Amino acid sequence: MNAPLRRVGVVVMILFGLLFANLNWVQGYKADEYRTSDYNGRVQVAEYDRKRGNIEVGGTAVAVSKETSGNLKFLRTYPKGDAYAHVLGYQPVNLAAVGIERSENDFLAGNSDQLFGDRVKDLFTGEQTAGGNVLLSLSRTAQERAFTELANNRAGASKGAAVAIDPKTGAIQALVSMPSFDPNPLTSHSSKEAEAAYQKLEADKNGPLKNRALAETLPPGSTFKVVVAAAALENGYTKDGMIPAGPSYRAPTAGTDIRNAVPSICPESQVTLINALTESCNTGFAQIGVNLGAAKIKEKAREFGFEQENLTCGRLDEGGLPVAASRTGAMQNPDGSEDKAALAQSSIGQNNVRMTPLEGAMIAGAVANGGTQMRPYLVQKLLGPDRTTTHYTAVPRQLRESVSGQVASDLREMMTSVVQNGTGRNARISGYTVGGKTGTAESGAQVDEHGWFIGFVMKGNEPISAVAVMLESTGDGGSAEAARIAAQIMRAVIQDRGGK
Amino acid sequence: MPRVRLSRSRRNSELALLLMAMALVMAYSATVEANLFDTVTADFWVPTALLTALFLGLHLVIRFLAPYADPVLVPAVALLNGLGVAFLRRIDLAKADPEERPDFPIFAGIGGTQLTWTLIAIVLAAGLLFIIRDHRSVSRYAYTLGLAGIVLVMIPAVLPRAYSEINGAKLWILIGGFSIQPGEFAKLALLVFFAYYLVRKREVLSLASRRFLGIDFPRGRDLGPVLVVWVISVLVLIFEKDLGTSLLYFGMFVVTLYVATERVSWLIIGLVLFFGGAFLAYFLGGAFPNSPFANFYVRAEIWLNPFEDPYEKGYQLVQGLLGLGTGGLFGTGPGGGQPLKVPEVQNDFIFAGIGEEIGLFGLSALLVIYLLIVERGLRAAIAVRDSFGKLLAGGLAFTLGLQVFVIVGGISGLIPLTGQTTPFLSAGGSSLMANWLLIAFLLRVSDAARRPVTGVSPRPDNRPAGVPEQLHGAPTEVIRP
């Protein structure tokens, strides 16, 4: 029986040879694929061995990693809680990261190619230096003012957003979405706690995890009239020229009349363009739109940034927070001809027109900046772990030329009139030129109107800030409150700049 | 005189190897703490020291009761068992609160339980060496053991689920908080029976045949016992939902049959029957999702494509593979990985958990240790002089090797995953006790194999061996071709 026993020995060797070959396949050939697999949480956990860099605003750290005695060495914390949640995002242990934490993850974690030198140095010193630091463009005062003003708004809105940008550079000065959330429990090292916190936020019907400032679009209402006014100025209308108005207007083929918000607004058959904007005359702008045609309105909106699908807010060259595309929507009949009724509605920011708050601020910004729209950005600077090496500094970039200098100057005058004499009086700041446009937008019969304000503040010819504030489902009075909040944010920017 | 050289007991080699193995386990435990705490606690050596004391005790028992036993078996098993205890303690430490970790009690958690089980298993192994002074004496109880084996296999199948099922596998007897896996013991009992039965029948099984298609086929009536075992295996597969155990029993039987008869046709028949059964179970499982075959079908599907459903059905296998991949060639170092990401890492998936931390090189070393144990067992089988001993040791050694193949192949995606323990590493008393008994049998057979043929018996009592009757001389059937 010895011969078969020897053969059994060979069989066992072959079986073990198969195991060995297969382990080589799994741990050798496939190792990299498995190590970096999306389903593998291990690498992410290994990142907690190195101190993640700070995210800072105006010299204050708003996201820091604290050393713990646990299995994971560092706990990510957000000292300012809710106020920066939508910008910073969060970096949880087992869930997906979002916000700047996600887009700048490589740099913060110290894995970026740019930090290669630091890692080589670690090899020799034996130390685990921290990841790099991200300095944001936000104004601390403006951001926190925007957050508290939105949270304590007098219109009773529970949902809304505010964005402020520097019209000259595109630097985002404030970005708030309401309701916000506390990112701290989401980064808990107890995955059960983190998961529970996430589920609770996810189940909240007000959608606190949504970034309403960038990722949600709503009908812009009358704020869209700035775009229509720009199209008008470029097509033969002048700001002091007369346009048709009246208490009501029915577009050809339309089933219902377009009326003004109250009968006292432009009841006369003709008003000047500047007055139409100042009073927010619906009948006037509906008729301008129908006269110009859908193509011109859509084209102008595109030149202000509508329909851009690939916009992100982060570094100027790459990545960042995704921005939803604003849309003018269809204004055509099924047979392809122009739907005049839809066009009239669209011209006052209704029908299928949808806009993000960021887009609102970018429109106002282009007007304030002489017609040039800058690319918005959030990351001002990347500092190495040693805080002395700068790996990146934002160099502002022009995004597009929205309107000519002359048209911009006319629009500026018209929007200033809105704040001086019209619906935007709440936004006035003494000593500064403030322009803007309010909007009250209907989203549907059952939903209360949304209040909008887009505007800018200038010192002489120097633009300081462009702001958009949106309050969801406030009904009447929402836009006035939005204008008030916008002014508060603009004041905070001025204050942060030392009044300059 | 060359014979004297061959017959050296080599007990001092065993002692030296044992101390080396324990030094490795000690180093492993220290590395675990260094990686987990950044420091090594003052009492890190205590579990390893306790294990060392246990193994030294066994070593002393062997010096007296089996002085010529193979000197490599105990150190090799001690290394595996020691690493198992150290790894299980490492899992306890990872699960414990950070503040309590450095003071985690020696006998708490699964590591502590495993330590206790090791004590019991070694006492059992020593007891077996004490009671059974000649392996041939076991053959007297072959039929009793065979019946006991079948009963043990069948108990979980007939028990209600609440008393027999853990994680979808009906392999257990659960009474109160206590669980035993009778299949682990049945393995040994059945093997004793197979060995005895085949020694008696080997001649008729090896000689009577009909030639068909160039292969010598056995006569129908001789095929009977093979079919019975095959049916038992398939029943295990269906009712206990366990392809691994089924494969183990069947492989065990076919190999002892082959060794006994020296006829390749048995291997071919065995493989055809087994794979035929498995394919049939797969297709029946796919066609009838509510049938008992469904579980096997699901497992086969996961095996074919683990990343199809990586968060639900495939989760365990996927996390095991990702752990192995993360470990790569060198591993993350003992205590440096995250084995807790793999469900059941203390049981079925312990090889994946360890593999993440010691890498391909470490796992290869472990495989070599297993291979060493198996080949040493086969060597004892080759060297021992009686047929029963050859079949017993050969069967036991092969079974151990096959079990390692089934579970390691399962967790690394080579074959469908089945719920097997990894011998000496996995947490669990049944497995540890049964496998240490298996080693005790091998020690006993190797002692007989290496004992000098002439000269005075070194046993303290000079009684004659338990079974005077020569199995070789037992009457066999008259063969009518």
Side-chain angles (χ1 to χ4, degrees), chain A residues 339-400:
Chain A
D339 180 350
K340 295 252 177 9
L343 174 56
Q345 287 286 344
S346 299
S347 302
I348 57 169
Q350 295 291 160
N351 198 39
N352 290 322
V353 185
R354 295 281 184 281
M355 182 173 90
T356 60
L358 176 71
E359 173 61 23
M362 285 166 67
I363 293 171
V367 172
N369 197 36
T372 305
Q373 199 173 49
M374 303 301 287
R375 192 185 157 96
Y377 67 89
L378 270 167
V379 177
Q380 187 70 47
K381 210 177 247 187
L382 297 178
L383 280 188
D386 56 4
R387 304 198 62 86
T388 54
T389 321
T390 303
H391 290 275
Y392 167 88
T393 307
V395 181
R397 268 201 216 170
Q398 181 178 331
L399 189 58
R400 52 175 76 83

Side-chain angles (χ1 to χ4, degrees), chain B residues 82-102:
Chain B
L83 286 177
V85 170
F87 182 75
L88 293 174
R89 182 168 169 81
R90 176 246 179 284
I91 289 178
D92 290 331
L93 294 177
K95 280 182 182 167
D97 272 336
E99 296 80 39
E100 296 168 10
R101 277 182 195 159

Side-chain angles (χ1 to χ4, degrees), chain A residues 1 58 154 258 303 307 475:
Chain A
M1 291 193 272
R154 299 170 192 172
I258 287 176
E303 283 169 7
E307 318 293 346

Side-chain angles (χ1 to χ4, degrees), chain A residues 147-462:
Chain A
F147 177 74
T148 45
E149 289 296 337
L150 267 187
N152 303 316
N153 72 80
R154 299 170 192 172
S158 56
K159 292 172 281 184
V163 185
I165 55 182
D166 183 335
K168 281 201 295 187
T169 62
I172 295 188
Q173 297 161 327
L175 196 155
V176 174
S177 175
M178 174 178 72
S180 189
F181 61 93
D182 183 1
N184 286 303
L186 295 170
T187 57
S188 163
H189 286 178
S190 149
S191 55
K192 224 177 264 171
E193 208 173 286
E195 183 74 20
Y198 181 79
Q199 292 304 339
K200 190 162 167 258
L201 291 171
E202 183 69 11
D204 189 328
K205 62 180 180 357
N206 279 336
L209 293 174
K210 285 182 184 172
N211 189 339
R212 294 185 155 80
L214 301 183
E216 301 285 312
T217 59
L218 283 174
S222 303
T223 58
F224 192 68
K225 286 172 186 164
V226 175
V227 175
V228 177
L233 290 171
E234 282 178 356
N235 287 281
Y237 290 83
T238 56
K239 71 178 193 315
D240 297 312
M242 300 303 267
I243 61 161
S248 82
Y249 165 70
R250 180 176 294 207
T253 72
T256 51
D257 287 347
I258 287 176
R259 293 175 182 282
N260 295 312
V262 287
S264 61
I265 295 173
C266 60
E268 55 274 43
S269 61
Q270 285 199 316
V271 290
T272 58
L273 185 58
I274 187 167
N275 276 338
L277 193 76
T278 306
E279 292 181 48
S280 200
C281 171
N282 286 346
T283 53
F285 276 93
Q287 288 173 77
I288 293 178
V290 172
N291 284 345
L292 291 174
K296 283 186 178 134
I297 302 294
K298 278 172 166 281
E299 180 54 27
K300 196 73 256 166
R302 190 176 297 113
E303 283 169 7
F304 270 109
F306 273 67
E307 318 293 346
Q308 187 179 356
E309 301 186 21
N310 58 359
L311 188 65
T312 55
C313 270
R315 273 189 240 182
L316 279 166
D317 43 357
E318 58 177 295
L321 281 56
V323 180
S326 299
R327 304 281 185 194
T328 44
M331 303 175 202
Q332 280 178 333
N333 289 316
D335 63 7
S337 63
E338 200 167 78
D339 180 350
K340 295 252 177 9
L343 174 56
Q345 287 286 344
S346 299
S347 302
I348 57 169
Q350 295 291 160
N351 198 39
N352 290 322
V353 185
R354 295 281 184 281
M355 182 173 90
T356 60
L358 176 71
E359 173 61 23
M362 285 166 67
I363 293 171
V367 172
N369 197 36
T372 305
Q373 199 173 49
M374 303 301 287
R375 192 185 157 96
Y377 67 89
L378 270 167
V379 177
Q380 187 70 47
K381 210 177 247 187
L382 297 178
L383 280 188
D386 56 4
R387 304 198 62 86
T388 54
T389 321
T390 303
H391 290 275
Y392 167 88
T393 307
V395 181
R397 268 201 216 170
Q398 181 178 331
L399 189 58
R400 52 175 76 83
E401 204 68 50
S402 298
V403 284
S404 68
Q406 181 55 49
V407 171
S409 141
D410 286 351
L411 284 172
R412 211 150 56 203
E413 201 174 317
M414 289 161 69
M415 288 171 77
T416 308
S417 164
V418 171
V419 171
Q420 283 302 313
N421 322 309
T423 54
R425 286 190 186 88
N426 272 353
R428 285 178 294 192
I429 301 171
S430 65
Y432 293 85
T433 311
V434 179
K437 182 71 196 85
T438 55
T440 302
E442 290 171 21
S443 234
Q446 266 73 47
V447 188
D448 277 334
E449 296 98 331
H450 313 308
W452 281 90
F453 180 83
I454 67 171
F456 55 80
V457 60
M458 305 180 68
K459 179 84 173 172
N461 275 329
E462 278 292 291

Side-chain angles (χ1 to χ4, degrees), chain B residues 300-445:
Chain B
E301 286 290 295
I302 293 169
W303 167 60
L304 291 171
N305 200 348
F307 287 87
E308 183 96 324
D309 190 3
Y311 289 116
E312 295 291 331
K313 288 177 186 162
Y315 187 74
Q316 194 183 28
L317 184 58
V318 162
Q319 287 303 321
L321 288 173
L322 297 182
L324 287 171
T326 306
L329 298 185
F330 299 96
T332 58
Q338 290 137 43
L340 288 178
K341 294 247 169 213
V342 188
E344 293 296 313
V345 73
Q346 75 279 16
N347 291 322
D348 302 359
F349 272 74
I350 196 162
F351 213 71
I354 293 182
E356 183 186 344
E357 302 199 329
I358 65 176
L360 176 64
F361 295 142
L363 285 192
S364 305
L366 285 190
L367 284 183
V368 168
I369 303 272
Y370 277 115
L371 192 60
L372 202 62
I373 297 170
V374 175
E375 298 291 345
R376 283 282 169 161
L378 290 172
R379 196 165 137 174
I382 288 169
V384 82
R385 295 161 197 105
D386 66 296
S387 309
F388 175 70
K390 280 181 188 298
L391 281 183
L392 183 62
L396 289 173
F398 176 76
T399 305
L400 187 72
L402 188 59
Q403 185 165 352
V404 173
F405 175 77
V406 167
I407 181 59
V408 176
I411 59 129
S412 59
L414 183 63
I415 58 169
L417 179 67
T418 62
Q420 285 292 310
T421 57
T422 313
F424 307 111
L425 287 177
S426 291
S430 309
S431 165
L432 207 53
M433 289 190 288
N435 285 313
W436 266 108
L437 287 176
L438 187 154
I439 292 299
F441 269 122
L442 287 183
L443 286 169
R444 178 47 80 214
V445 175

Side-chain angles (χ1 to χ4, degrees), chain A residues 1-13 15-16 18-20 22-24 26-28 30-35 37-43 45-46 69-71 73 94, chain B residues 98 202 255 258-259 262 307 310-311 319 321-326 328-329 338 341-342 355-356 359-360 363-364 367 370-371 374-375 378 381-382 387 390 398 401 404-405 409 412 414:
Chain A
M1 291 193 272
N2 285 353
L5 279 171
R6 286 200 168 88
R7 269 176 232 133
V8 168
V10 173
V11 168
V12 173
M13 283 219 199
L15 289 181
F16 275 61
L18 288 174
L19 289 182
F20 178 68
N22 190 52
L23 283 176
N24 268 283
V26 172
Q27 296 198 281
K30 299 277 266 185
D32 273 339
E33 187 186 322
Y34 285 158
R35 193 178 297 126
S37 161
D38 285 345
Y39 309 121
N40 194 350
R42 290 174 182 79
V43 177
V45 171
S69 59
N71 199 10
K73 267 195 209 152
N94 279 324
Chain B
R202 59 184 290 244
V255 163
Y258 164 68
V259 171
E262 309 199 9
F307 287 87
Y311 289 116
Q319 287 303 321
L321 288 173
L322 297 182
L324 287 171
T326 306
L329 298 185
Q338 290 137 43
K341 294 247 169 213
V342 188
E356 183 186 344
L360 176 64
L363 285 192
S364 305
L367 284 183
Y370 277 115
L371 192 60
V374 175
E375 298 291 345
L378 290 172
I382 288 169
S387 309
K390 280 181 188 298
F398 176 76
V404 173
F405 175 77
S412 59
L414 183 63

Side-chain angles (χ1 to χ4, degrees), chain A residues 50-56 61 63-65 76 100-101 104-116 118-119 122 128-135 315 379 381-392:
Chain A
R50 182 190 272 135
K51 185 171 163 54
R52 193 176 171 84
N54 290 343
I55 304 178
E56 297 173 16
V64 282
S65 282
R76 192 64 164 167
I100 289 292
E101 290 275 33
E104 293 299 334
N105 179 51
D106 278 356
F107 193 80
L108 288 164
N111 298 332
S112 160
D113 290 342
Q114 288 172 293
L115 297 176
F116 180 73
D118 294 279
R119 287 202 301 277
D122 293 352
Q128 273 283 37
T129 42
N133 302 293
V134 174
L135 275 55
R315 273 189 240 182
V379 177
K381 210 177 247 187
L382 297 178
L383 280 188
D386 56 4
R387 304 198 62 86
T388 54
T389 321
T390 303
H391 290 275
Y392 167 88

Side-chain angles (χ1 to χ4, degrees), chain B residues 10-252:
Chain B
R10 297 257 177 209
R11 291 276 67 80
N12 290 335
S13 312
E14 182 178 77
L15 181 62
L17 286 173
L18 190 56
L19 291 176
M20 264 169 61
M22 289 294 101
L24 271 175
V25 175
M26 191 79 84
Y28 182 89
S29 309
T31 318
V32 163
E33 296 208 344
N35 269 329
L36 276 179
F37 310 144
D38 279 339
T39 173
V40 179
T41 57
D43 55 355
F44 84 95
W45 52 274
V46 177
T48 316
L50 288 173
L51 278 176
T52 310
L54 280 178
F55 294 137
L56 286 178
L58 182 65
H59 168 74
L60 283 180
V61 170
I62 292 170
R63 272 191 187 259
F64 286 107
L65 296 179
Y68 289 95
D70 192 306
V72 176
L73 285 174
V74 169
V77 173
L79 178 60
L80 295 171
N81 195 339
L83 286 177
V85 170
F87 182 75
L88 293 174
R89 182 168 169 81
R90 176 246 179 284
I91 289 178
D92 290 331
L93 294 177
K95 280 182 182 167
D97 272 336
E99 296 80 39
E100 296 168 10
R101 277 182 195 159
D103 309 317
F104 196 79
I106 304 298
F107 287 98
I110 44 173
T113 312
Q114 188 79 345
L115 196 55
T116 316
W117 280 122
T118 307
L119 168 72
I120 296 170
I122 286 182
V123 169
L124 279 179
L128 188 136
L129 287 176
F130 181 77
I131 293 166
I132 301 170
R133 298 299 177 88
D134 185 326
H135 60 270
R136 285 171 294 181
S137 63
V138 190
S139 65
R140 276 192 292 192
Y141 310 105
Y143 284 104
T144 319
L145 285 171
L147 186 67
I150 291 175
V151 170
L152 283 174
V153 174
M154 289 302 166
I155 291 173
V158 295
L159 276 181
R161 284 184 158 202
Y163 298 100
S164 63
E165 189 171 297
I166 294 180
N167 295 338
K170 262 172 82 89
L171 290 173
W172 304 80
I173 302 174
L174 304 168
I175 313 156
F178 199 72
S179 64
I180 60 169
Q181 218 173 340
E184 294 279 354
F185 297 98
K187 199 169 69 180
L188 300 178
L190 286 175
L191 205 80
V192 170
F193 171 70
F194 290 167
Y196 178 74
Y197 176 84
L198 292 171
V199 165
R200 299 203 54 140
K201 291 277 185 174
R202 59 184 290 244
E203 284 168 22
V204 66
L205 286 170
S206 62
L207 294 178
S209 66
R210 291 196 180 103
R211 208 171 167 78
F212 181 67
L213 289 175
I215 301 169
D216 288 323
F217 279 94
R219 296 180 308 181
R221 73 186 94 152
D222 300 328
L223 211 58
V226 190
L227 289 175
V228 169
V229 176
W230 180 70
V231 168
I232 292 176
S233 305
V234 171
L235 289 180
V236 165
L237 172 62
I238 295 170
F239 290 104
E240 305 189 0
K241 300 174 182 172
D242 189 359
L243 176 74
T245 307
S246 160
L247 174 67
L248 207 59
Y249 292 159
F250 197 64
M252 196 163 92

